[in-house]
Amino acid sequence: MELRLRYAPRAVNAGRFAADIVTSAAQVSGVQLDYSVGSLAAVDEIIEDFRGSGIDSGQVGETLFGFGCYVGEVMVRQGGASWREVGGEEVPVFGFPLVVQLPSGQVCNPIGKVFKRMDNGPEDDLSYFYRVFAEPWRRA
């Protein structure tokens, strides 16, 4: 899937993608996203609404990318993670140009997870994703 992104998919722009999706969620869905862990449930609900409307990930790829950046930005702000770009042999593994690196050195793919949430449904819950990856480092 080719995405037509507003900014270059670089680590320095991840926060911009997230900020844009915060604005869009407020305007389109009336949902206030505040970068809290609890707000991830609202993202799940928005994605489930897409699914319920029969929309597939190919139709809203740019929006899902933005939501993935939002999830990653929650991990950055609440879990002490940082964005980094994917390179070389990592590209086919992650499938997206940006990942989040946790303080432990572990890498996770919030953008890919949002696409999975869209494709697979509630079994790919975003709040759970955060709890598994970021919460242990947040408590440490």
Side-chain angles (χ1 to χ4, degrees), residues 47-99:
I47 293 171
E48 198 56 32
D49 287 347
F50 289 162
R51 290 172 46 80
S53 298
I55 296 170
D56 67 45
S57 58
Q59 294 171 284
V60 290
E62 292 81 4
T63 300
L64 295 175
F65 188 93
F67 277 122
C69 288
Y70 177 80
V71 172
E73 219 23 51
V74 171
M75 298 175 99
V76 167
R77 294 177 185 206
Q78 304 298 329
S82 59
W83 285 102
R84 78 168 176 79
E85 293 165 28
V86 171
E89 64 277 353
E90 291 179 317
V91 173
V93 172
F94 291 112
F96 291 95
L98 301 173
V99 293

Side-chain angles (χ1 to χ4, degrees), residues 1-62:
M1 165 185 340
E2 186 173 328
L3 299 176
R4 300 172 85 173
L5 301 173
R6 185 173 183 182
Y7 316 109
R10 307 225 15 198
V12 297
N13 290 328
R16 293 172 78 187
F17 285 111
D20 285 354
I21 211 68
V22 167
T23 300
S24 293
Q27 291 173 345
V28 175
S29 301
V31 174
Q32 300 300 315
L33 298 176
D34 61 4
Y35 298 96
S36 68
V37 177
S39 70
L40 298 176
V43 176
D44 274 323
E45 289 176 23
I46 292 169
I47 293 171
E48 198 56 32
D49 287 347
F50 289 162
R51 290 172 46 80
S53 298
I55 296 170
D56 67 45
S57 58
Q59 294 171 284
V60 290
E62 292 81 4

Side-chain angles (χ1 to χ4, degrees), residues 18 35-37 39-40 67-83 99-103 106-111 113-114 126-138:
Y35 298 96
S36 68
V37 177
S39 70
L40 298 176
F67 277 122
C69 288
Y70 177 80
V71 172
E73 219 23 51
V74 171
M75 298 175 99
V76 167
R77 294 177 185 206
Q78 304 298 329
S82 59
W83 285 102
V99 293
V100 168
Q101 186 160 342
L102 299 163
Q106 185 178 17
V107 176
C108 64
N109 183 358
I111 298 168
K113 184 63 171 183
V114 166
L126 299 172
S127 297
Y128 180 75
F129 175 73
Y130 178 88
R131 286 192 308 273
V132 166
F133 281 99
E135 248 179 33
W137 312 115
R138 186 173 159 213

